[in-house]
Amino acid sequence: MTDIATTLSQARAKLTTWQAEAASAAANGASQTQSADAAWDAVAAIEAATNHAEGLRTQVLARNDTLAAALAARTAALADAERARTDGTSPPLADTTATALRATVATAAGVTPASKLDGADYKTAVGTVDTAIAALDDTAISDLAAALVALETKLQVYEDKEALAEAALTAAEAAAAIIANDLEKAQIQREAAAALAAAGNKPGAVLAYVDYQAARARLTAASAAAAATKLQTDWNTARDEQLSAAADLLAAQVAVIQGQLALARKRAEMMAKLVTRDAVATAAVDAVINPPPAPPGP
């Protein structure tokens, strides 16, 4: 199991290191500007991630107090139950009280022997009623849980498709600047190659010429219709997949809402059943006490 305190400590150490690297790169002037910018971006990102993790850690650890309070409440409830078994001249939950009550009820109900009241017949009759009421929301709970899992999956898929669409759009938006940059570079390197060759700087002239040809090759590739077509196709594909994922996400959200509604309705039905529970359970017990007469023989 990953230790959150250790991970936070490691993240803070990286933060300190990256801050120093960013400051050092920034101090080295224009040649290190890109490196400095990247380092500061990393610093900002790790600060945000660390703060978020610290917040989550605080929230989770705060639940220690919630658990302690729950356990304390449980202990208090057990103390109340223990007093009901032991306090007073006739504790309501004492074994002697229960035995006397069983005798009274058995006599009134005509059940012989009295111990039969603790048997399975009456417990089963009442349990069947309670089980039927409790089971009303089981399927609804299961369906809602499945819908929530599906929603989480669809949300992740949508986020992935959104990132791909963003990348495709960014590529298209950057295309013009890339072409302009390559054109400028080709022109600069052309002049440089000619000047360096005239000056007798053979390695420099060759390097400039190689860079010149590379820029020309990129411009040639960019001028092909297929390059623009690919940008359009990549965007169309990513856009359509994002829209499809958005539709799936909406459907998953609707399924969750439907599941929540179904569960609410089932729980309302349970509440209605609980109102008549005693009457229904009493009838079930009565059927055990006074079973219907057997049908006449042939």
Side-chain angles (χ1 to χ4, degrees):
M1 180 181 293
T2 304
D3 180 62
I4 182 65
T6 299
T7 303
L8 281 169
S9 177
Q10 292 170 344
R12 292 191 185 101
K14 287 183 182 294
L15 173 60
T16 300
T17 299
W18 291 349
Q19 283 174 327
E21 290 176 357
S24 175
N28 286 330
S31 64
Q32 293 292 313
T33 297
Q34 185 173 358
S35 178
D37 289 344
W40 284 122
D41 287 344
V43 167
I46 200 169
E47 280 183 327
T50 301
N51 290 337
H52 183 247
E54 185 65 55
L56 292 177
R57 177 173 179 262
T58 300
Q59 291 176 10
V60 172
L61 292 180
R63 293 183 176 180
N64 285 337
D65 295 337
T66 302
L67 177 62
L71 292 178
R74 180 180 183 276
T75 298
L78 285 175
D80 289 341
E82 185 60 26
R83 282 193 293 273
R85 281 194 292 269
T86 59
D87 284 3
T89 56
S90 181
L93 297 186
D95 290 344
T96 54
T97 301
T99 299
L101 179 62
R102 183 179 68 182
T104 299
V105 173
T107 299
V111 176
T112 305
S115 59
K116 189 176 180 180
L117 286 177
D118 293 328
D121 290 348
Y122 300 106
K123 292 178 182 179
T124 299
V126 175
T128 299
V129 173
D130 289 338
T131 299
I133 293 173
L136 281 173
D137 68 346
D138 286 351
T139 299
I141 290 175
S142 177
D143 289 346
L144 178 57
L148 288 169
V149 171
L151 175 59
E152 184 66 25
T153 300
K154 297 302 182 184
L155 178 59
Q156 183 59 59
V157 171
Y158 176 79
E159 290 174 350
D160 292 344
K161 297 301 183 183
E162 182 182 34
L164 291 174
E166 185 67 24
L169 186 57
T170 298
E173 289 177 330
I178 291 172
I179 291 172
N181 183 67
D182 283 337
L183 175 59
E184 181 181 13
K185 187 167 187 178
Q187 292 170 335
I188 291 172
Q189 294 304 321
R190 172 182 173 276
E191 297 301 325
L196 291 168
N201 186 340
K202 298 176 184 178
V206 171
L207 173 59
Y209 176 77
V210 169
D211 288 342
Y212 163 69
Q213 287 289 33
R216 285 185 70 245
R218 290 192 296 271
L219 287 169
T220 299
S223 66
T229 299
K230 184 177 186 307
L231 290 172
Q232 182 69 62
T233 300
D234 287 349
W235 162 247
N236 290 348
T237 300
R239 175 204 62 204
D240 292 346
E241 288 182 357
Q242 184 183 1
L243 290 173
S244 177
D248 289 341
L249 179 60
L250 177 57
Q253 290 170 326
V254 170
V256 168
I257 294 169
Q258 289 176 329
Q260 291 169 331
L261 178 59
L263 179 58
R265 286 173 174 168
K266 286 297 181 182
R267 288 190 167 162
E269 186 178 349
M270 285 177 65
M271 294 302 296
K273 293 286 186 182
L274 287 172
V275 171
T276 59
R277 180 262 182 189
D278 287 356
V280 175
T282 299
V285 170
D286 183 61
V288 177
I289 297 173
N290 301 299

